[in-house]
Amino acid sequence: MSTYQIDRIEKEETKLVGYSITESLNHVLETRIVGILRENLAERKNDIKHRKAAGIHLIQIYPCDGQWTFDVPYQHVVAFEVSAYEDIPADMMTYTLPPGQFIKIVHRGAESEIGNTYEYINQTFGERPLDIEYWSDIHSLDQSDSQIDILIPAK
Protein backbone atom coordinates (compact mmCIF):
# COMPACT_ATOMS: atom_id res chain seq x y z
CA MET A 1 0.00 0.00 0.00
CA SER A 2 1.36 3.44 -0.89
CA THR A 3 1.50 6.42 1.46
CA TYR A 4 2.66 9.98 0.94
CA GLN A 5 3.65 13.16 2.74
CA ILE A 6 3.46 16.77 1.52
CA ASP A 7 5.90 19.70 1.93
CA ARG A 8 6.40 23.08 0.24
CA ILE A 9 9.94 23.71 -1.06
CA GLU A 10 11.95 26.31 -2.97
CA LYS A 11 13.95 24.82 -5.85
CA GLU A 12 16.88 26.43 -7.63
CA GLU A 13 17.38 26.19 -11.39
CA THR A 14 18.12 22.59 -12.32
CA LYS A 15 20.23 21.59 -15.33
CA LEU A 16 19.42 18.16 -16.73
CA VAL A 17 20.96 15.89 -19.38
CA GLY A 18 19.23 12.81 -20.75
CA TYR A 19 16.51 11.72 -23.14
CA SER A 20 13.22 13.25 -24.24
CA ILE A 21 10.19 11.71 -25.94
CA THR A 22 6.67 12.89 -26.70
CA GLU A 23 4.13 10.13 -26.07
CA SER A 24 0.71 9.63 -24.50
CA LEU A 25 0.44 8.09 -21.05
CA ASN A 26 -1.40 5.08 -22.51
CA HIS A 27 1.49 4.46 -24.93
CA VAL A 28 4.05 4.90 -22.15
CA LEU A 29 2.23 2.37 -19.95
CA GLU A 30 1.79 -0.07 -22.85
CA THR A 31 5.39 0.03 -24.09
CA ARG A 32 7.22 0.85 -20.83
CA ILE A 33 9.28 3.33 -22.89
CA VAL A 34 10.02 5.62 -19.94
CA GLY A 35 11.29 2.65 -17.92
CA ILE A 36 13.48 1.58 -20.85
CA LEU A 37 14.90 5.10 -21.21
CA ARG A 38 15.50 5.24 -17.44
CA GLU A 39 17.44 1.96 -17.54
CA ASN A 40 19.43 3.02 -20.63
CA LEU A 41 20.30 6.33 -18.98
CA ALA A 42 21.45 4.57 -15.79
CA GLU A 43 23.71 2.31 -17.85
CA ARG A 44 25.27 5.40 -19.50
CA LYS A 45 25.70 7.48 -16.33
CA ASN A 46 29.48 7.61 -16.78
CA ASP A 47 29.03 9.23 -20.21
CA ILE A 48 27.46 12.29 -18.58
CA LYS A 49 30.00 14.86 -17.41
CA HIS A 50 29.36 16.93 -14.28
CA ARG A 51 26.63 14.57 -13.01
CA LYS A 52 25.60 15.73 -9.52
CA ALA A 53 23.91 12.62 -8.05
CA ALA A 54 22.99 9.03 -8.79
CA GLY A 55 19.25 9.77 -8.87
CA ILE A 56 17.27 10.22 -12.08
CA HIS A 57 14.59 12.83 -12.80
CA LEU A 58 11.43 12.43 -14.88
CA ILE A 59 9.93 15.73 -16.00
CA GLN A 60 6.43 15.41 -17.49
CA ILE A 61 5.41 18.54 -19.41
CA TYR A 62 1.69 18.67 -20.19
CA PRO A 63 -0.14 20.53 -22.99
CA CYS A 64 -1.15 24.04 -21.89
CA ASP A 65 -4.65 23.90 -23.39
CA GLY A 66 -6.12 21.98 -20.43
CA GLN A 67 -7.29 19.15 -22.69
CA TRP A 68 -4.94 16.48 -21.39
CA THR A 69 -6.14 12.86 -21.30
CA PHE A 70 -4.31 9.53 -21.18
CA ASP A 71 -4.34 9.55 -25.02
CA VAL A 72 -2.84 13.04 -25.54
CA PRO A 73 0.93 13.04 -26.23
CA TYR A 74 3.10 15.15 -23.94
CA GLN A 75 6.84 15.53 -23.31
CA HIS A 76 8.73 13.19 -20.97
CA VAL A 77 12.31 14.09 -20.00
CA VAL A 78 14.36 11.35 -18.30
CA ALA A 79 17.63 12.85 -17.10
CA PHE A 80 20.43 13.27 -14.61
CA GLU A 81 21.05 16.60 -12.91
CA VAL A 82 24.37 18.19 -13.91
CA SER A 83 26.33 21.19 -12.69
CA ALA A 84 27.28 22.30 -16.23
CA TYR A 85 26.35 21.61 -19.84
CA GLU A 86 29.62 20.30 -21.31
CA ASP A 87 30.42 17.34 -23.55
CA ILE A 88 26.78 16.25 -23.91
CA PRO A 89 26.50 12.83 -25.61
CA ALA A 90 25.24 13.28 -29.19
CA ASP A 91 22.08 11.21 -28.63
CA MET A 92 21.08 13.13 -25.48
CA MET A 93 19.51 16.52 -24.86
CA THR A 94 19.57 19.24 -22.21
CA TYR A 95 16.63 20.62 -20.28
CA THR A 96 16.70 23.47 -17.77
CA LEU A 97 14.05 23.45 -15.08
CA PRO A 98 13.51 27.04 -13.92
CA PRO A 99 13.66 27.93 -10.22
CA GLY A 100 10.46 28.23 -8.24
CA GLN A 101 8.26 27.10 -5.41
CA PHE A 102 7.04 23.53 -5.56
CA ILE A 103 4.82 21.23 -3.59
CA LYS A 104 6.71 18.04 -2.82
CA ILE A 105 4.66 14.88 -2.45
CA VAL A 106 6.64 11.84 -1.34
CA HIS A 107 5.18 8.59 -2.67
CA ARG A 108 6.11 5.66 -0.45
CA GLY A 109 5.46 2.25 -1.93
CA ALA A 110 6.05 0.39 -5.16
CA GLU A 111 6.14 2.43 -8.35
CA SER A 112 3.30 0.24 -9.65
CA GLU A 113 1.07 1.93 -7.01
CA ILE A 114 2.00 5.51 -7.97
CA GLY A 115 -1.31 5.92 -9.82
CA ASN A 116 -3.04 6.25 -6.42
CA THR A 117 -0.72 9.13 -5.50
CA TYR A 118 -1.36 10.85 -8.84
CA GLU A 119 -5.13 10.47 -8.34
CA TYR A 120 -4.72 12.31 -5.03
CA ILE A 121 -2.53 14.99 -6.68
CA ASN A 122 -5.01 15.50 -9.54
CA GLN A 123 -8.01 15.74 -7.20
CA THR A 124 -6.26 18.03 -4.71
CA PHE A 125 -4.15 20.30 -6.92
CA GLY A 126 -5.86 20.07 -10.33
CA GLU A 127 -4.19 20.73 -13.67
CA ARG A 128 -0.56 21.81 -13.79
CA PRO A 129 1.97 22.55 -16.52
CA LEU A 130 4.37 19.84 -15.37
CA ASP A 131 5.38 17.49 -12.65
CA ILE A 132 8.72 16.06 -11.66
CA GLU A 133 9.52 12.63 -10.30
CA TYR A 134 12.86 11.93 -8.65
CA TRP A 135 14.01 8.34 -8.35
CA SER A 136 16.99 8.11 -5.99
CA ASP A 137 17.41 4.37 -6.67
CA ILE A 138 15.81 2.95 -9.81
CA HIS A 139 16.65 -0.61 -8.74
CA SER A 140 14.31 -0.49 -5.72
CA LEU A 141 11.23 1.03 -7.41
CA ASP A 142 9.14 -2.13 -7.15
CA GLN A 143 9.82 -2.64 -3.45
CA SER A 144 7.17 -1.74 -0.88
CA ASP A 145 9.60 0.62 0.92
CA SER A 146 10.52 2.53 -2.27
CA GLN A 147 10.33 6.32 -2.24
CA ILE A 148 9.60 8.59 -5.21
CA ASP A 149 9.63 12.36 -4.75
CA ILE A 150 7.04 14.15 -6.88
CA LEU A 151 7.23 17.93 -7.33
CA ILE A 152 4.47 20.08 -8.78
CA PRO A 153 4.58 23.87 -9.20
CA ALA A 154 3.01 25.73 -6.29
CA LYS A 155 0.26 28.12 -7.33
Side-chain angles (χ1 to χ4, degrees), residues 7-130:
D7 294 306
R8 191 177 198 89
I9 65 166
E10 188 77 29
K11 190 158 179 56
E12 296 179 1
E13 177 182 87
T14 306
K15 292 179 172 75
L16 300 163
V17 171
Y19 300 115
S20 176
I21 59 166
T22 300
E23 294 288 350
S24 71
L25 182 58
N26 279 337
H27 189 258
V28 166
L29 294 173
E30 179 183 307
T31 62
R32 279 198 13 82
I33 187 66
V34 168
I36 292 166
L37 289 175
R38 176 177 64 200
E39 291 162 18
N40 289 346
L41 186 66
E43 289 173 7
R44 295 199 48 210
K45 66 184 177 189
N46 294 330
D47 294 345
I48 300 172
K49 307 289 186 223
H50 307 289
R51 189 169 42 87
K52 288 180 81 170
I56 295 176
H57 292 78
L58 168 64
I59 315 296
Q60 300 178 106
I61 305 155
Y62 302 104
C64 295
D65 61 8
Q67 303 300 314
W68 184 83
T69 69
F70 282 26
D71 293 314
V72 173
Y74 61 99
Q75 186 179 7
H76 308 257
V77 176
V78 180
F80 282 111
E81 182 176 358
V82 296
S83 58
Y85 291 139
E86 291 180 15
D87 301 320
I88 308 302
D91 61 335
M92 293 188 192
M93 50 74 68
T94 63
Y95 181 83
T96 302
L97 183 65
Q101 288 191 355
F102 290 84
I103 297 168
K104 177 180 174 182
I105 299 100
V106 178
H107 168 83
R108 286 185 176 39
E111 183 184 33
S112 61
E113 298 172 355
I114 203 166
N116 297 330
T117 302
Y118 274 104
E119 281 183 36
Y120 167 78
I121 291 169
N122 292 336
Q123 291 172 358
T124 306
F125 301 103
E127 292 181 15
R128 58 203 172 275
L130 61 84

